[in-house]
Amino acid sequence: MHIKHTTLVTSLLFAGLATWAQADEPVLEEDLAQAYGDQTTITIATGSQQSLRRAPSVASVITAADIEAMGATDLDTVLKAVPGLHVSRSANSYSPLYVIRGVNSLLNPQTLMLQNGIPMTILFTGNRGNIWGKLPIENIARIEVIRGPGSALYGADAYSGVINIVTKTAAESEGTQVGVRLGSFSSQDAWVLHGGQVGPISVAAYLHAGKTDGSKEVIDSDAQTRNDAAFGTKVSRAPGTINVDYKAVDASLDLSYGKWRWRSGYKLRDDVGTGAGITSALDPTGKTQSRRMNSDLSWLDAQVLPNTGAGFSASYLYYRQTIPSPLILYPAGMRFPSGLFPDGMIGSPEFWERQIRFSGFLTYNGWVGHALRFGMGHDSVDLYRIRELKNFTFTASGLPVPAGPVKDYTNIAPYLLPQKRTVNYAYVQDEWTLAKDWALTAGVRHDRYNDFGSTTNPRLALVWDARYNLTAKLLYGRAFRAPSFGEFYSANNPTIRGNINLKPETVRTTEAAVAWQPRRDVHLNLSAYRYDARDLIRTSPNAVAGTGLTYNNIGQQTGRGLELEAAWDVARDLKLAFNYARQRTIDKLTNKDAGNAPHHLAYGSAEWRIDDGWLLSSQISRVAGRKRVAGDTRTPVADYTNVDVAITSKQGKGKWDLTLAIGNLFDADIREPSVSPGLIAKDLPQPGRNWMLQASYRM
Amino acid sequence: MIIAAAFRSSLTGNQSLLVSGFAQACRGLVACVLLIFSPPVFAAQVVDIAGLFTYRPDAALLAYGVAVPTDVALFRVAFNGQKAELVAMAAGPQQSSLMRLAALSGSQIAVLYPDIGEPYRSVFTKIIEGIEDKARVRVASYAVGNKLNAQELAGELKRQNVRAVIALGRNGLRAANALEGSNLSIVAGGVLAVPESEARGVAVHSLAPDPELMFARLKLLVPQARRIYVVCDPRQNAWLMQLARTAAKAQGLELQVREATDLKTAMQHYQSIFSSSDARHDTVWLPQDSTTVEESAVLPLVLQEAWNRNIAVFSSSLSHVKRGVLFSLYPDNMGLGRNLAQVALANADGASGLVPLKDVLVAVNLRTASHLGLNLGNKPQQNFDLVFPEP
């Protein structure tokens, strides 16, 4: 029982007695600086728990303090800081694509996103779900990004990289904080964050609600513009604005008691606009909704027996995609050779999923020179319901045919039938000290899927502590991406016919990395990699001409690149960071650039603590060298330089946090590639200059 | 169920009691034995909560914000026949087997802490949290800026009926010292060391980890260690070296202190230490010393030589672990706060002097441990509060 006493906190800033004014703070800081060292170390010592040390990799960790210094309010802004990671947009609903090391695709299922170590993956699409909105960061304690393969530990989809979002514990969100935020595009947000004790139970709770009209960038010509030209109509909504409006509710509750922890979350994205249109034809009226509920119970004892640790978790995820306002795939009055669509081509694909996952692990370090980890698990994932309303059918070649008014096709010819998947897996990893300063981490994981069969993925990491301030790593790993249910089972649409004979996509990656700290205030990291990706899933024409397209494991690509990172704490009040990544990816089918992913990514940031409580920060990112995919004759996607600035102030004894942030300060014309060969001719425009003002109060 | 509680108490004016102590409790709060030692009085009473001293929430206490759920008992006890102001509060048998038991008296504690930005503020916030947790009395916290009116502060403390002041940081201590003639007992914390003039009549709890704890941890991690070299500036660390000599002797270690009052001499000492060092038995301790433990010249030299010669280096500064020393002890701010509260409550008579930091956490560098060939496998990671390098 924690008894709260009234605490009288009074500030005494009385005037007078100037005899010991000035110069006191530096002296004081000196005392604390001697005990702790630099400010970052104080933050570590007084702040959040450290990341779990699992396996050597090329990784970045972004903490809540880093996020706060950036003045960022959503995940996408934060991830721009990760070397070799480019935040792009999907032509389908403008959802974010986290393109790591040039592995680019329409839905980005090759980047695994975890929340507290549990996959956020949606079965239908294989990614995080297309109706995403944005992810607010107030409840994030840290973000861990692993570049390169991670299937030996994390299983499916840890292909080009893993993004693990770790939410705040009771200790990390200590007390109660309320905040409001206003910004461009009529964006409004409010949240409350609480951390405390109820009896012996630590409680962390978070609630956020927000809405935005979204930026109103203009698209000059869209997929329907092309149809208009081909079929003599004039019904395209272009030029018109993109539709990236949404309403959001996020909630989470984290209860922990001793070694037990029960976390639950809720994420609603409602009235979500269709971006540039689901089929790249502008649709100002279609609205989508996603609802995600998750709950996981875990237990962890790092010393259950001498030298032995153990843990397990059971998790549940419910996800549904619904369409509150039907999607207008092509606008009213559009015509195909198959006929006229007086009301437009309308479709509302909906689905419901539930996923149950169990996992457990044991660690053992009683064998001198070895640190062993064993794990196993079972996933039972179920896309258990679908619903489809539409007003069209298809010809055998995949051409839509008008079918009168909108009807329920759920039981007639739906786009997918409910499906289940079970996965059983086991892994083992040993961190073996080979010789003085040399360690070899070897791991392998075997996954057995009821649909495509088995896959085994090894990982090797040789780490050499060459000097007290220099570490070198050589890494090899194989990873896989499981085919999504859409790719497996898509039906009744001849242009994206599912294929139950699909194999997983695989990738073999070799990496070398060096970390060097030449001075106390300078950190340097360099990594180089090459990979060979096989069995990439793409659609290809069926053997019988004119019968549409089917998903097949036909793609193959190779990539290589390097990433350089530098961080320099110039002075106590000034920090600079810089990173540069370059990559080249070749599509082996065409022997041409795989396209769309930037060859060059450069990022710089500065954090300047102007005065006690005031922090000015700026991020500059340069994105360059985005070639087109083979067959797309458009000029390359234009390079751009984006500058964000933020000023943050802590007032009232640190109780008030005020942030003013300006995104895209110089109003650069930023575009992300549209679907080839150019359904939206001038690509997907991104927000111009925008502002955000935020105030929060800690009770 | 019997709950035994031992108290050491001291009487101050107005029959108020400052009581500190601890109690061990079990589930099912039924009765409690209070042993109160306060020379020349000794009293022992059995307090039967269900009978003699009936569970009796006190309206005045409630006004102070003391919650009274069913597992919290407030009861008054007679003290040596007098009608005393002692109100003991027993709480938390459900929380742990350790029961929190403290006294609430008419007086209270004031904390003076520096008005300073993050991340330093968090350090003081945690210390204050620890103080509040332990004190169980009303704690008034004052953020002290660079400009302060001592008279106004003294008046404020008087109005709040403050008897004990916990001064945190240099600013806090100077503010407390400015309250001359106020008859307050002062305890200082969150500073390294203070000049004699400022420490007069004040118990100063330094941020310098107790050498005894440092050496004990050294022996645990490096069992073969026999000798400790330390280079320090006597102007800063003479007091600590006195303690270190005793601690080393008690633990069978040889302490070699090299004094230096400038960087050049310090560098020469380090060079000579490493050139004649014995990797098996020798170790180097880096104290908190702005003359001899310098970041841009000394630390790289020490780290490189230690790495090349397999010498274990440990430090009193946390960030050095991140750079590559084997381990460090650093402040457990909550614990420090609790300790300061306990001292403030008990130390009404005003013991003075410098006290090293006893409330510590441990940080270790596993990479360095592995390089030194230390097998920490059977010293599980959860024995360390921070582990470097971070993944």
Side-chain angles (χ1 to χ4, degrees):
Chain A
M1 171 58 61
H2 185 82
I3 301 164
K4 251 190 137 43
H5 282 263
T6 305
T7 304
L8 182 67
V9 179
T10 317
S11 109
L12 283 188
L13 292 165
F14 302 150
L17 201 82
T19 50
W20 40 278
Q22 309 301 323
D24 290 314
E25 239 173 51
V27 173
L28 166 88
E29 285 186 21
E30 204 51 51
D31 278 6
L32 288 182
Q34 294 247 355
Y36 286 100
D38 49 71
Q39 295 196 357
T40 319
T41 313
I42 299 186
T43 309
I44 292 171
T46 57
S48 59
Q49 292 174 317
Q50 286 187 300
S51 309
L52 284 179
R53 193 178 144 78
R54 285 272 178 82
S57 57
V58 177
S60 309
V61 176
I62 303 168
T63 63
D66 299 332
I67 294 170
E68 197 180 314
M70 282 180 189
T73 58
D74 79 296
L75 182 69
D76 300 347
T77 314
V78 177
L79 290 179
K80 285 196 292 192
V82 177
L85 191 159
H86 173 56
V87 181
S88 185
R89 294 282 148 193
S90 169
N92 181 325
S93 68
Y94 258 62
S95 55
L97 304 176
Y98 306 117
V99 179
I100 298 177
R101 291 179 166 178
V103 179
N104 192 61
S105 60
L106 182 65
L107 300 179
N108 192 220
Q110 293 87 358
T111 298
L112 174 65
M113 188 172 280
L114 307 171
Q115 186 173 24
N116 298 315
I118 296 166
M120 298 184 82
T121 312
I122 296 309
L123 300 168
F124 178 55
T125 46
N127 63 2
R128 307 157 285 283
N130 289 340
I131 305 170
W132 180 256
K134 286 184 172 178
L135 194 74
I137 46 75
E138 296 90 29
N139 193 35
I140 295 179
R142 64 178 188 277
I143 302 164
E144 302 160 348
V145 183
I146 297 170
R147 284 164 270 151
S151 288
L153 273 180
Y154 302 100
D157 313 331
Y159 190 93
S160 60
V162 181
I163 300 168
N164 185 23
I165 293 163
V166 183
T167 55
K168 286 181 177 167
T169 60
E172 286 159 338
S173 47
E174 206 170 352
T176 303
Q177 192 183 19
V178 292
V180 292
R181 181 162 63 233
L182 295 173
S184 296
F185 323 125
S186 306
S187 302
Q188 299 166 16
D189 292 87
W191 75 92
V192 56
L193 192 61
H194 172 79
Q197 291 282 131
V198 175
I201 298 171
S202 301
V203 180
Y206 169 66
L207 179 65
H208 160 259
K211 67 172 258 307
T212 178
D213 291 348
S215 72
K216 295 289 176 194
E217 308 306 316
V218 173
I219 287 193
D220 295 330
S221 74
D222 64 0
Q224 183 55 34
T225 311
R226 293 165 69 99
N227 289 338
D228 284 346
F231 307 117
T233 50
K234 204 171 177 194
V235 297
S236 168
R237 307 299 294 250
T241 63
I242 57 169
N243 301 285
V244 286
D245 49 327
Y246 66 87
K247 298 186 180 99
V249 176
D250 299 85
S252 85
L253 181 65
D254 179 334
L255 306 175
S256 65
Y257 173 72
K259 292 160 185 158
W260 291 89
R261 194 157 178 205
W262 182 27
R263 287 179 285 218
S264 303
Y266 177 74
K267 180 177 183 247
L268 170 71
R269 294 293 176 270
D270 199 6
D271 284 334
V272 182
T274 55
I278 303 300
T279 54
S280 296
L282 286 173
D283 170 13
T285 60
K287 297 289 176 208
T288 61
Q289 185 201 69
S290 70
R291 202 181 283 260
R292 176 190 289 268
M293 285 185 267
N294 63 283
S295 190
D296 65 274
L297 180 69
S298 60
W299 175 88
L300 178 72
D301 188 342
Q303 191 73 359
V304 66
L305 292 168
N307 304 319
T308 308
F312 76 82
S313 84
S315 71
Y316 176 80
L317 169 69
Y318 166 87
Y319 182 87
R320 85 173 204 209
Q321 168 184 306
T322 49
I323 314 292
S325 176
L327 302 175
I328 312 297
L329 303 174
Y330 292 102
M334 75 86 62
R335 180 188 292 279
F336 276 138
S338 53
L340 176 75
F341 288 84
D343 301 324
M345 191 175 145
I346 299 171
S348 296
E350 301 182 324
F351 63 88
W352 284 254
E353 293 188 7
R354 59 182 162 229
Q355 306 183 8
I356 297 170
R357 298 168 192 265
F358 301 97
S359 68
F361 72 87
L362 271 179
T363 57
Y364 181 74
N365 53 14
W367 184 16
V368 174
H370 293 265
L372 288 155
R373 186 183 175 93
F374 307 91
M376 57 195 296
H378 171 80
D379 300 346
S380 177
V381 293
D382 191 359
L383 193 162
Y384 66 96
R385 183 184 165 198
I386 70 115
R387 184 164 177 257
E388 185 178 27
L389 303 177
K390 62 181 183 180
N391 68 348
F392 59 93
T393 58
F394 291 100
T395 65
S397 65
L399 190 65
V401 181
V406 172
K407 277 189 298 207
D408 188 338
Y409 280 79
T410 308
N411 298 314
I412 305 169
Y415 65 100
L416 191 86
L417 287 170
Q419 302 290 344
K420 276 187 189 176
R421 170 180 276 172
T422 56
V423 188
N424 291 301
Y425 62 87
Y427 63 83
V428 58
Q429 177 182 286
D430 181 24
E431 194 176 337
W432 175 28
T433 307
L434 281 174
K436 188 176 170 185
D437 302 330
W438 288 87
L440 178 70
T441 301
V444 64
R445 171 166 156 153
H446 181 75
D447 287 72
R448 191 164 290 170
Y449 281 67
N450 71 322
D451 41 29
F452 68 77
S454 296
T455 176
T456 303
N457 295 277
R459 175 96 168 135
L460 283 171
L462 183 64
V463 179
W464 177 35
D465 293 329
R467 289 183 53 174
Y468 80 93
N469 58 357
L470 181 74
T471 302
K473 297 178 197 172
L474 191 61
L475 308 143
Y476 169 80
R478 182 184 187 273
F480 75 102
R481 174 177 87 79
S484 69
F485 280 16
E487 290 160 337
F488 254 132
Y489 304 114
S490 179
N492 298 313
N493 180 349
T495 58
I496 46 163
R497 189 173 282 140
N499 177 0
I500 56 166
N501 295 315
L502 286 176
K503 296 180 287 184
E505 294 183 344
T506 62
V507 65
R508 291 173 173 80
T509 308
T510 309
E511 303 164 88
V514 176
W516 182 35
Q517 189 179 359
R519 290 163 38 161
R520 176 183 59 89
D521 45 6
V522 177
H523 289 260
L524 298 171
N525 289 309
L526 176 68
S527 57
Y529 62 89
R530 59 189 314 147
Y531 66 80
D532 182 6
R534 294 183 182 207
D535 293 328
L536 300 176
I537 299 169
R538 293 173 185 173
T539 53
S540 59
N542 296 335
V544 179
T547 58
L549 308 167
T550 299
Y551 286 112
N552 278 299
N553 290 102
I554 53 169
Q556 190 182 339
Q557 66 185 41
T558 58
R560 61 196 159 85
L562 60 86
E563 292 140 358
L564 171 70
E565 284 174 83
W568 180 24
D569 294 353
V570 182
R572 192 169 281 188
D573 49 9
L574 180 64
K575 279 188 192 179
L576 299 178
F578 170 79
N579 69 60
Y580 168 72
R582 67 171 298 159
Q583 63 83 26
R584 180 125 199 257
T585 306
I586 301 293
D587 184 326
K588 300 303 276 184
L589 289 185
T590 60
N591 265 329
K592 291 204 159 61
D593 195 276
N596 291 341
H599 282 206
H600 307 275
L601 282 172
Y603 172 89
S605 74
E607 275 177 43
W608 180 28
R609 284 176 202 279
I610 306 167
D611 193 0
D612 182 36
W614 287 87
L615 174 72
L616 179 66
S617 68
S618 178
Q619 281 90 43
I620 301 172
S621 47
R622 171 86 181 154
V623 175
R626 289 175 294 175
K627 292 193 172 180
R628 298 293 180 180
V629 298
D632 188 337
T633 54
R634 290 179 290 171
T635 53
V637 189
D639 302 342
Y640 69 84
T641 303
N642 177 58
V643 177
D644 299 333
V645 292
I647 185 154
T648 303
S649 173
K650 285 191 186 298
Q651 298 296 328
K653 314 289 163 226
K655 288 184 176 297
W656 283 98
D657 274 12
L658 302 170
T659 302
L660 172 67
I662 298 174
N664 195 359
L665 179 67
F666 297 110
D667 207 19
D669 184 5
I670 299 173
R671 283 168 197 260
E672 293 303 328
S674 61
V675 177
S676 292
L679 293 180
I680 290 171
K682 293 185 183 168
D683 295 307
L684 308 173
Q686 303 302 312
R689 184 184 304 118
N690 58 88
W691 62 272
M692 180 280 294
L693 184 63
Q694 175 176 289
S696 68
Y697 180 73
R698 200 179 299 273
M699 292 176 209
Chain B
M1 187 61 69
I2 301 295
I3 298 158
F7 288 116
R8 200 162 57 79
S9 72
S10 54
L11 263 173
T12 59
N14 202 22
Q15 296 178 322
S16 294
L17 284 168
L18 290 169
V19 179
S20 67
F22 74 93
Q24 268 199 313
C26 305
R27 293 188 182 280
L29 197 62
V30 177
C32 164
V33 179
L34 280 181
L35 299 170
I36 301 171
F37 306 96
S38 182
V41 265
F42 171 85
Q45 297 192 22
V46 175
V47 183
D48 181 354
I49 289 171
L52 186 59
F53 293 90
T54 314
Y55 167 69
R56 202 166 55 191
D58 186 299
L61 295 175
L62 289 171
Y64 277 109
V66 179
V68 191
T70 51
D71 56 345
V72 176
L74 297 176
F75 46 92
R76 291 175 178 278
V77 293
F79 182 76
N80 213 22
Q82 296 176 27
K83 188 187 171 193
E85 294 296 321
L86 172 63
V87 180
M89 182 171 59
Q94 276 91 348
Q95 185 181 21
S96 69
S97 59
L98 260 185
M99 177 175 162
R100 298 170 186 284
L101 191 65
L104 203 123
S105 68
S107 64
Q108 59 165 331
I109 295 177
V111 181
L112 307 181
Y113 69 99
D115 185 28
I116 193 172
E118 292 291 3
Y120 307 102
R121 175 180 292 275
S122 292
V123 172
F124 294 110
T125 310
K126 274 280 168 215
I127 297 175
I128 293 170
E129 225 173 277
I131 293 170
E132 289 174 358
D133 184 60
K134 184 73 190 180
R136 300 277 159 206
V137 299
R138 209 149 69 101
V139 175
S141 303
Y142 301 91
V144 179
N146 277 340
K147 292 176 183 166
L148 182 133
N149 187 321
Q151 280 180 345
E152 220 164 314
L153 174 59
E156 172 70 17
L157 297 184
K158 198 166 185 181
R159 270 193 299 281
Q160 295 290 340
N161 198 20
V162 166
R163 299 297 161 90
V165 169
I166 297 175
L168 299 180
R170 291 283 169 97
N171 269 11
L173 182 54
R174 288 191 185 186
N177 278 332
L179 304 167
E180 278 172 25
S182 56
N183 201 24
L184 291 163
S185 98
I186 299 172
V187 181
V191 291
L192 276 187
V194 291
E196 278 293 311
S197 58
E198 289 180 29
R200 209 168 296 140
V202 179
V204 178
H205 288 247
S206 169
L207 284 170
D210 190 340
E212 192 182 329
L213 299 175
M214 297 286 292
F215 300 163
R217 181 58 64 163
L218 175 70
K219 288 201 67 160
L220 196 67
L221 295 179
V222 192
Q224 72 274 22
R226 296 285 175 272
R227 186 159 39 193
I228 300 164
Y229 285 102
V230 59
V231 184
C232 72
D233 184 341
R235 294 169 300 187
Q236 295 182 39
N237 275 306
W239 72 279
L240 196 67
M241 291 307 132
Q242 248 178 347
L243 297 175
R245 284 195 179 90
T246 316
K249 201 170 175 186
Q251 299 190 45
L253 294 163
E254 177 191 342
L255 183 69
Q256 291 282 341
V257 182
R258 303 275 186 273
E259 294 189 342
T261 52
D262 58 73
L263 182 60
K264 195 177 160 200
T265 317
M267 289 290 276
Q268 286 165 350
H269 281 316
Y270 284 115
Q271 273 155 351
S272 94
I273 289 168
F274 281 111
S275 64
S276 62
S277 61
D278 162 11
R280 190 160 162 72
H281 301 302
D282 288 354
T283 64
V284 174
W285 170 30
L286 302 178
Q288 294 162 349
D289 193 308
S290 58
T291 309
T292 65
V293 184
E294 188 272 344
E295 295 275 332
S296 55
V298 169
L299 200 60
L301 170 88
V302 169
L303 290 172
Q304 186 164 339
E305 288 293 326
W307 181 271
N308 294 343
R309 296 169 189 271
N310 285 318
I311 306 285
V313 181
F314 59 105
S315 170
S316 303
S317 291
L318 174 60
S319 69
H320 293 167
V321 184
K322 207 163 67 170
R323 298 281 311 272
V325 309
L326 178 62
F327 78 92
S328 164
L329 302 184
Y330 66 101
D332 168 9
N333 294 315
M334 273 288 272
L336 174 60
R338 288 194 195 103
N339 198 5
L340 288 171
Q342 185 166 337
V343 173
L345 287 166
N347 193 36
D349 304 335
S352 64
L354 260 175
V355 183
L357 182 70
K358 304 256 188 205
D359 304 283
V360 292
L361 300 171
V362 190
V364 71
N365 189 314
L366 294 180
R367 182 176 181 267
T368 304
S370 170
H371 174 75
L372 293 170
L374 302 173
N375 175 30
L376 302 187
N378 55 357
K379 298 178 180 65
Q381 288 187 21
Q382 71 270 23
N383 282 354
F384 305 114
D385 300 284
L386 278 176
V387 172
F388 292 97
E390 289 191 281

